Amino acid sequence: MDKGLHFTICVVTAALLLRESSQAGEEKDPEVLAAPKPDSRGAGEGLPTLTVTTILEDPYVMVRGAELEGYCMELLAALAGMLRFQYRVRVVGDGQYGAVAAGGNWSGMIGEILRREADIAVAPLTVTSAREEVVSFTTPFLQTGIGILLRKDTASQDMSFFHFLSPFSKETWTALLFAYLLTCFCLFLVARLSPCEWNETKNEENHFTFLNSLWFGAGALALQGATPRPQALSVRVIAVVWWLFTLALLAAYIANFTALLSSGSEQLPIQTFEDLVKQRNLEFGTLEGSSTFYYFKNSKNPIHQMIYEYMEKRREHVLVKTYQEAVQRVMDSNYAFIGESISQDLAAARHCNLIRAPEVIGARGFGIATARASPWTKPLSIAVLKLREAGDLDYLRNKWWESSCLRQSRDRWGPLEPPALGGLFLTLGIGLALGVLAALAELSSSSRRAAAHAKKSCCSVFTEEICTRLRIKGTARQSQETSGKANA
């Protein structure tokens, strides 16, 4: 009995030692890192455990202490809670996404799934036709494309001599000049028509000549007071409207000019992939073995073929191993990185001296890869759709792509077109019309009083006043001569 008890104790002790040794070995494995605990609904005995392969890339998967965190880790935890499974995360051994090697074998995460080393791959893994032939993909959880990442100072041109004209388009400057001349003419006209602007009509003592009106309008544009000062209500209405117009216009000019200076987006000479091929100052490349590289390889577009031939001939020099290496190279040298636009947006948000060119090609998506005929493919696809419909994917996108730079969207700040200032020009037009009507009303009232005093027709007196104020001397003299003969 004692021997049996002793034997049992020895067996239990050996089992415990073996278990501790296994756990210690697992903790020392550099490719196996602790992941955030799945939702409590997915924890428990009897639930299936999936081996998940991923790749370290900010902000999808990042190492923080002894754990992994990031967009994909939170997505995985949400899926585990919905589908009730446990998971074990390991970083891909060769650090590759997945491409066909020379012998026909697959590398990276795709290769691990094919070799049954992992059940699923949760990472920024692009869905391509070649990968779809050997593994299955779920519904994409992120949409992206292919863009160009540049450093601002290497991509910018010298400012033109007339850079100060950039805040407004040519059409806007033309409209502004027309508005200025029209306003000054209305000031001159209304000051001539209004009796309140005349000390003595016959002596032509009116200070609002056309040149003085031009000077008054220019002074308002510079936010400076200018003489002569309006006396009549009609002239003051036009002056006030012009002041408000110039105030709003100057505010728009200063704000847009400041934005153009800070963003520098209008100075980018590389807007498209064709511009990238034509220039000679920047080297360009992509991730070695990535889907982006094979996109250009298989494309029939002549520009894309030129990009592929350039990268293939200089692959040892322009192709990079990791995304972090690519971003660092863009920051440190004259290098343009071609890759996923969504990852480039993150780099531009984290590094304020980087910018992404406007053109994006090859719309694609990131999906979760599973083995062919895996029972998890459809449930994972449905779960991804539910997360999208609930707004959880948008929440994760905004959380992990939050910008640390105070920068406007590029597409974004440029020359202000006339429609953007349409209301401002409309207000100016209404004010000019009100000023002219007020001047006619003032002149009409003065003419009625003069006609009653001189016992003449109101229309004749009104006509004489207009001719006198507009210096139509010939007509005025003919009118006076006619009236003199009639009296004789």
Side-chain angles (χ1 to χ4, degrees), residues 356-367:
R356 179 175 61 80
E359 186 181 31
V360 176
I361 61 174
R364 55 184 63 189
F366 292 155

Side-chain angles (χ1 to χ4, degrees), residues 310-328:
Y310 173 87
M311 293 190 298
E312 180 64 26
K313 290 178 181 179
R314 308 189 62 189
R315 60 181 304 133
E316 298 296 332
H317 187 62
V318 299
L319 297 184
V320 293
K321 301 294 184 182
T322 63
Y323 176 77
Q324 290 77 11
E325 179 187 350
V327 173
Q328 193 62 41

Side-chain angles (χ1 to χ4, degrees), residues 17 61 232 257 298 418 478:
L17 290 174
V61 181
F257 190 55
N298 299 325
Q478 291 177 3

Side-chain angles (χ1 to χ4, degrees), residues 236-481:
R236 289 180 177 180
V237 168
I238 294 180
V240 169
V241 172
W242 178 244
W243 290 338
L244 293 176
F245 175 84
T246 56
L247 184 63
L249 191 73
L250 286 174
Y253 176 87
I254 293 172
N256 208 42
F257 190 55
T258 303
L260 288 175
L261 289 177
S262 60
S263 65
S265 60
E266 84 290 348
Q267 295 297 320
L268 279 180
I270 300 177
Q271 301 282 337
T272 65
F273 285 88
E274 184 176 358
D275 297 334
L276 183 64
V277 173
K278 290 180 179 179
Q279 59 82 37
R280 292 295 180 267
N281 297 326
L282 297 178
E283 297 179 323
F284 53 88
T286 187
L287 289 174
E288 184 177 3
S290 64
S291 59
T292 301
F293 180 81
Y294 288 99
Y295 173 86
F296 288 100
K297 180 180 180 180
N298 299 325
S299 176
K300 303 301 181 183
N301 187 304
I303 300 298
H304 299 172
Q305 280 295 309
M306 293 174 64
I307 293 176
Y308 168 71
E309 292 173 1
Y310 173 87
M311 293 190 298
E312 180 64 26
K313 290 178 181 179
R314 308 189 62 189
R315 60 181 304 133
E316 298 296 332
H317 187 62
V318 299
L319 297 184
V320 293
K321 301 294 184 182
T322 63
Y323 176 77
Q324 290 77 11
E325 179 187 350
V327 173
Q328 193 62 41
R329 186 167 177 181
V330 172
M331 297 176 63
D332 296 339
S333 62
N334 293 339
Y335 181 77
F337 173 61
I338 302 175
E340 302 292 347
S341 61
I342 193 169
S343 300
Q344 294 175 348
D345 290 338
L346 176 70
R350 300 286 175 84
H351 306 282
C352 301
N353 62 331
L354 299 183
I355 191 171
R356 179 175 61 80
E359 186 181 31
V360 176
I361 61 174
R364 55 184 63 189
F366 292 155
I368 300 174
T370 64
R372 302 280 295 182
S374 171
W376 291 99
T377 306
K378 186 172 182 179
L380 286 171
S381 292
I382 296 175
V384 168
L385 290 174
K386 289 182 178 179
L387 290 175
R388 178 180 299 167
E389 293 169 355
D392 294 337
L393 295 183
D394 293 333
Y395 167 76
L396 291 178
R397 172 70 167 79
N398 296 332
K399 174 183 177 180
W400 291 101
W401 269 259
E402 182 179 2
S403 175
S404 59
C405 301
L406 297 177
R407 53 192 293 271
Q408 289 79 14
S409 66
R410 159 194 347 196
D411 309 13
R412 320 182 211 197
W413 290 99
L416 285 180
E417 300 293 338
L421 301 174
L424 193 60
F425 282 95
L426 178 62
T427 302
L428 177 63
I430 294 175
L432 297 179
L434 290 177
V436 173
L437 292 177
L440 292 177
E442 291 173 347
L443 182 60
S444 177
S445 177
S446 176
S447 299
R448 283 196 301 269
R449 291 194 299 268
H453 180 73
K455 297 181 180 181
K456 294 183 179 181
S457 169
C458 182
C459 292
S460 62
V461 174
F462 183 79
T463 303
E464 291 177 3
E465 291 289 339
I466 290 181
C467 292
T468 301
R469 283 167 170 76
L470 296 182
R471 297 181 180 178
I472 308 177
K473 296 182 179 179
T475 305
R477 288 174 181 173
Q478 291 177 3
S479 172
Q480 291 176 359
E481 292 175 358

